[in-house]
Amino acid sequence: MSTTPTVFVVDDDAAVRDGLALLLDTAGLAVETYDGAAAFLAVCSPGRAGCLILDVRMPDMSGPELQAELTRRGIDLPIIFLTAHGDIPTTVQAMKGGALDFLTKPVVGSELLERVRAAFDKSARLREQESASRSLRERLEGLTGREREIMKLVADGLPNKEIARTLGISHRTVEVHRARVMQKTGVTNLVELSRLAQACGLLTPP
């Protein structure tokens, strides 16, 4: 999959699509245009870099409906709504759904480009966060249920003897499991282990 940030334009108006494509292409940005939600959903998948410029009123599926569908599919593209039919309820709905901006047609080219670049920055941050989360999940995949349990208790600060009493197992068994947890997760001390457990949601934030 290409990691080049792309501006995806979804609008049923061919003139709008062509105008936006020319503006974005002239600015040196990669752009793909689609005449409706169905065409875009057929090719879009999680992990795409870039942003979405989205019309509100379209046949079959509206912009806000497409926004909700992308959320359901786990596709986290920053969205810039661009419409000639803006109203307060629709704007509120879009922003609550996580839209980055809500602009009205006609839009000043320089303003749109500024918003697109801000969306690219947000997209890059989202991809970094997802990469970090995926790395954390991979570090826990090799742990058994018992090892996860002991990892949580160790990260909570319980000594081996207390963990053994809590789980009804021997002190030596706790030591073996603890060593395996450290080895499998790649941590070298309790501070790193606690941070890993917190980041993976195994601990309740203070």
Side-chain angles (χ1 to χ4, degrees), residues 8-13 17 32-45 52-73 75 77 79 81:
F8 303 97
V9 177
V10 180
D11 196 305
D12 62 321
D13 188 325
R17 293 196 305 273
E32 296 178 15
T33 63
Y34 300 89
D35 61 4
F40 178 65
L41 288 172
V43 300
C44 192
S45 59
L52 173 60
I53 296 179
L54 180 59
D55 191 15
V56 171
R57 295 184 183 178
M58 298 183 293
D60 301 324
M61 182 182 288
S62 70
E65 288 172 339
L66 174 57
Q67 179 186 29
E69 178 62 18
L70 292 174
T71 298
R72 189 186 71 80
R73 296 189 182 193
I75 299 173
L77 274 174
I79 296 176
F81 276 98

Side-chain angles (χ1 to χ4, degrees), residues 50-53 67 76-81 91 93-103 112-123 125-126:
C51 69
L52 173 60
I53 296 179
Q67 179 186 29
D76 199 1
L77 274 174
I79 296 176
I80 300 170
F81 276 98
T91 303
Q93 178 187 356
M95 300 307 286
K96 282 186 175 180
L100 188 65
D101 278 301
F102 198 101
L103 307 177
L112 181 60
L113 291 174
E114 180 182 341
R115 304 297 177 87
V116 165
R117 292 188 176 98
F120 276 10
D121 289 341
K122 181 177 181 181
S123 176
R125 291 195 300 272
L126 290 172

